[in-house]
């Protein structure tokens, strides 16, 4: 997603909800508990990453999600029996995730 007017505003996701299972499968191509942010049928679906797992740093050229807690995340791998794990910073960069304050962090 390019920067500028095509980006979502910060309040766009103020009433964020999960899609019903049938709608999710139609949009993503993945069934229950198998939804992966990679290879979605509809590539316009934004991937939301909760701000509580990302520490944003400015490396001088641009802002990157470089330091994270946790440093590793698990997600759906395309089937209910498959899971995909990767470094959080690589995940955020790989999916061009939109980082939002979407939940209360666990303590």
């Amino acid at each position: 997603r390019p920067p500028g007017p095509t980006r979502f505003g910060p309040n766009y996701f103020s009433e964020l909800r999960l899609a019903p299972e049938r709608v999710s499968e139609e949009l993503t191509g993945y069934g229950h508990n198998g939804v992966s942010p990679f290879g979605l049928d509809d590539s316009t679906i934004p991937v939301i990453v909760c701000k509580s797992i990302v520490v944003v740093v400015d490396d001088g050229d641009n802002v990157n999600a470089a330091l994270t807690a946790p440093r590793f995340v698990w997600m759906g791998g395309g089937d209910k029996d498959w899971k995909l794990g990767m470094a959080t910073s690589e995940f955020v960069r790989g999916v061009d995730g939109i980082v939002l304050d979407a939940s209360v962090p666990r303590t």
Side-chain angles (χ1 to χ4, degrees), residues 59-71:
D59 67 5
D61 294 325
N62 54 23
V63 176
N64 289 300
L67 302 173
T68 57
R71 295 188 184 266

Side-chain angles (χ1 to χ4, degrees), residues 13-25:
F13 297 102
S14 63
E15 295 196 28
L16 185 66
R17 301 287 183 266
L18 295 175
E21 189 173 333
R22 180 187 58 76
V23 173
S24 175
E25 188 165 354

